[in-house]
Amino acid sequence: MTIDITVTINGRLYRASVEPRLLLSDFLRDTLGLTGTHVGCEHGVCGACTVIIDGDSVRSCLTLAVRADGATITTVEGLGTPEQLNALQHQFRECHGLQCGFCTPGMLMTGMDLLKKYPLATDDQIREGLSGNLCRCTGYQNIVAAIRAAAALRNETTP
Amino acid sequence: MKPAAFAYCAPTSLDEAVRALQAADGDGKVMAGGQSLMPLLNFRMTRPTMVVDLTKIPDLSFIEQRGDRVAIGALTRHADLEFSALIAERLPVMSAAMPHVAHLAIRNRGTIGGSLSHADPAAELPMLAVFYSATIRAQGPAGRRDIAAEDFFVSALATCLDPDEIVFEIEFPVLETHTGWAFEEVSRRFGDFALACIALSIETRDGAIVDARVAVMGVADTPLRLRDAEQALLGARGDAAAAFGAVVRGCVAPNSDIHVSADYRRALIGALAEKAFTRAWQRAAGGPK
Ligand SMILES: Cc1cc2nc3c(=O)[nH]c(=O)nc-3n(C[C@H](O)[C@H](O)[C@H](O)COP(=O)(O)OP(=O)(O)OC[C@H]3O[C@@H](n4cnc5c(N)ncnc54)[C@H](O)[C@@H]3O)c2cc1C
Ligand code: FES
Ligand code: FES
């Protein structure tokens, strides 16, 4: 059994015929070659596979590709370009918010949604917001710093 | 891991979804947010032949005032509850609990109907259903029935639902006269399942408690409403925190597991009860909300 789906990803329309059991994470990486989205645990715990679907951060490993039919998705490839990083990516670079980079796509996509929905007025709030994303390298300090800096910038530009 | 193969359908009415479950003859599974079912599928801990997606059924996602109750559609997402002004005003304990339910990306998909039906003994919404004495409404081949929350949860990950019954809405009575409340939880990491958790709500008159509601979770196979602890609070005044902690400790008989020992859990629920009492009392006295 396969099902036809149409999905808009990073502004581009994709059509495909997929098995119901195909995970969105595998659809992105294996079918479409969008390997920016990383896969760590495949049960919702590590956050590496987080993408934005219709404006909300979502675990792509806990999403069937068939359920993304008609959706608009942003992956890390859609945030910025190496020449022109988006504001949050820029802060990750400034603050050294990454080392090996495995967790980074998930951290960025989670960070985008946190910046949209929460005041992030204290480091505690930022840490609570990031509690579903695991990083084995940085010790989190500089990831928190990057999001703190992005939140300050957000508050300046959208009073 | 990847799921084993299954057939998939996305019906557009409850009747059709129930028929799809019947046709699967016990081998079908409904999927709401998928935030508990997908991990089970990925690890092949469950292998349904048919997955019935509920999310194309219209009108199952809502939060509305219905007289002295708040009705919530089964497909309402955790994040909708977290950010709802109506929930904050009418069901403040639920509002306080929602940020503790998993993480934002999971709250963006997980639903109340799914959380109740999954019946994790350390989940917040099942405890809140018991706490508020909610009515869970389900539809099956024989029609619709109303189930009291305390009858709904049978044991860990088990409810009284038949395999072809689907929860479509839940009604929460508002604790109109209660002015003090608290929600206290401890988990290893913010957003993880709780090690122990308590919800408390009180009505006071002339400086004493005249009505109380107490529920706990993480300390038994199902969430528990503690009627003995509610009774013990009647007539209590602001100095009763330690006594309340002792009563709650005495009401529970937790097990040891890979996370913590039974003794730790009992001590923890007592400490959380003391904290909750102090917080609820402050709120009832007009202190900080
Ligand atoms: C990393 C992680 C951390 C989490 N932490 C927490 C936490 O701290 N606290 C917490 O409470 N939860 C937590 N969860 C679980 C989360 O809240 C789930 O969203 C919820 O338990 C299930 O809701 P769902 O809509 O995703 O259900 P699904 O996964 O779609 O379904 C779960 C089960 O319920 C059945 N079902 C679903 N909807 C209905 C219905 N309407 N009628 C009948 N049966 C139905 C399904 O067949 C399935 O058996 C966590 C999940 C993850 C992945
Ligand atoms: S791979 Fe999806 S959360 Fe870990
Ligand atoms: S930078 Fe290596 S896991 Fe986070």
Side-chain angles (χ1 to χ4, degrees):
Chain A
M1 179 183 190
T2 62
I3 294 173
D4 294 337
I5 59 169
T6 307
V7 198
T8 306
I9 302 166
N10 304 329
R12 207 179 127 188
L13 198 71
Y14 295 86
R15 281 177 224 283
S17 193
V18 300
E19 258 195 280
R21 64 168 161 167
L22 183 68
L23 304 180
L24 178 61
S25 43
D26 291 334
F27 177 66
L28 292 170
R29 291 177 54 85
D30 301 344
T31 313
L32 303 183
L34 293 168
T35 53
T37 299
H38 291 172
V39 171
C41 69
E42 292 192 326
H43 65 287
V45 172
C46 76
C49 70
T50 307
V51 300
I52 308 270
I53 304 183
D54 296 327
D56 294 317
S57 57
V58 173
R59 300 284 199 246
S60 62
C61 75
L62 300 185
T63 307
L64 295 173
V66 285
R67 297 180 105 195
D69 184 31
T72 300
I73 299 178
T74 308
T75 67
V76 70
E77 289 94 340
L79 288 186
T81 62
E83 296 73 39
Q84 195 150 27
L85 299 178
N86 90 349
L88 182 59
Q89 288 173 314
H90 182 72
Q91 292 309 328
F92 267 70
R93 179 152 85 186
E94 287 296 300
C95 302
H96 304 286
L98 64 151
Q99 288 179 21
C100 79
F102 186 83
C103 69
T104 314
M107 290 287 178
L108 288 168
M109 303 322 280
T110 302
M112 294 300 290
D113 203 19
L114 293 175
L115 285 164
K116 195 167 101 186
K117 292 175 182 166
Y118 294 100
L120 304 178
T122 65
D123 280 7
D124 276 354
Q125 286 174 12
I126 296 172
R127 285 176 186 280
E128 285 173 8
L130 290 175
S131 64
N133 290 67
L134 298 181
C135 174
R136 301 287 81 164
C137 303
T138 64
Y140 301 99
Q141 298 292 54
N142 290 345
I143 297 176
V144 172
I147 295 196
R148 190 195 304 128
L153 222 68
R154 170 199 65 182
N155 297 344
E156 270 172 39
T157 47
T158 48
Chain B
M1 286 273 296
K2 316 290 177 193
F6 51 76
Y8 167 91
C9 67
T12 52
S13 74
L14 263 178
D15 290 344
E16 217 186 305
V18 170
R19 277 198 299 275
L21 281 179
Q22 277 182 290
D25 206 15
D27 260 349
K29 270 266 173 212
V30 297
M31 184 181 287
Q35 302 302 289
S36 294
L37 185 54
M38 287 300 304
L40 294 174
L41 290 173
N42 287 359
F43 285 120
R44 302 197 181 188
M45 285 160 75
T46 179
R47 296 177 72 148
T49 52
M50 168 63 83
V51 168
V52 181
D53 186 345
L54 296 182
T55 55
K56 294 280 158 42
I57 304 175
D59 305 326
L60 286 185
S61 174
F62 59 85
I63 303 169
E64 67 184 36
Q65 176 96 34
R66 241 181 237 169
D68 59 357
R69 303 174 146 230
V70 174
I72 302 176
L75 288 186
T76 308
R77 289 170 176 169
H78 303 333
D80 298 329
L81 299 174
E82 178 182 7
F83 296 115
S84 161
L86 183 66
I87 297 293
E89 195 197 317
R90 308 297 284 166
L91 305 175
V93 184
M94 180 184 289
S95 195
M98 291 320 293
H100 295 265
V101 180
H103 315 287
L104 177 60
I106 289 157
R107 294 197 292 276
N108 280 336
R109 279 295 173 273
T111 68
I112 184 167
S115 179
L116 299 182
S117 306
H118 189 63
D120 193 296
E124 287 80 3
L125 284 165
M127 180 190 77
L128 290 164
V130 166
F131 174 77
Y132 280 109
S133 212
T135 302
I136 296 165
R137 312 191 66 206
Q139 179 169 326
R144 297 186 160 190
R145 63 172 175 140
D146 289 358
I147 307 161
E150 275 180 289
D151 299 331
F152 187 80
F153 302 104
V154 176
S155 70
L157 306 179
T159 69
C160 71
L161 284 178
D162 291 329
D164 44 15
E165 271 185 311
I166 298 172
V167 175
F168 62 94
E169 68 176 28
I170 307 96
E171 276 190 359
F172 289 81
V174 174
L175 296 166
E176 297 273 3
T177 57
H178 288 207
T179 53
W181 58 269
F183 172 89
E184 296 294 340
E185 165 174 325
V186 163
S187 59
R188 272 278 154 87
R189 188 171 61 139
F190 192 84
D192 281 0
F193 281 104
L195 294 177
C197 176
I198 186 167
L200 168 67
S201 179
I202 55 173
E203 176 187 355
T204 56
R205 207 175 302 141
D206 305 325
I209 294 175
V210 294
D211 192 36
R213 191 64 71 83
V214 183
V216 293
M217 61 92 157
V219 291
D221 277 355
T222 63
L224 299 175
R225 186 163 158 199
L226 300 184
R227 287 194 171 69
D228 289 349
E230 291 173 2
Q231 278 294 317
L233 280 178
L234 299 183
R237 294 176 184 272
D239 57 2
F244 178 59
V247 170
V248 168
R249 260 196 306 277
C251 288
V252 301
N255 287 323
S256 297
D257 62 17
I258 54 163
H259 303 294
V260 289
S261 69
D263 286 345
Y264 177 90
R265 270 213 163 83
R266 197 176 309 104
L268 178 60
I269 197 69
L272 291 177
E274 283 187 39
K275 213 168 148 189
F277 181 92
T278 305
R279 197 83 181 84
W281 187 267
Q282 279 170 356
R283 283 196 172 101
K289 289 281 160 190

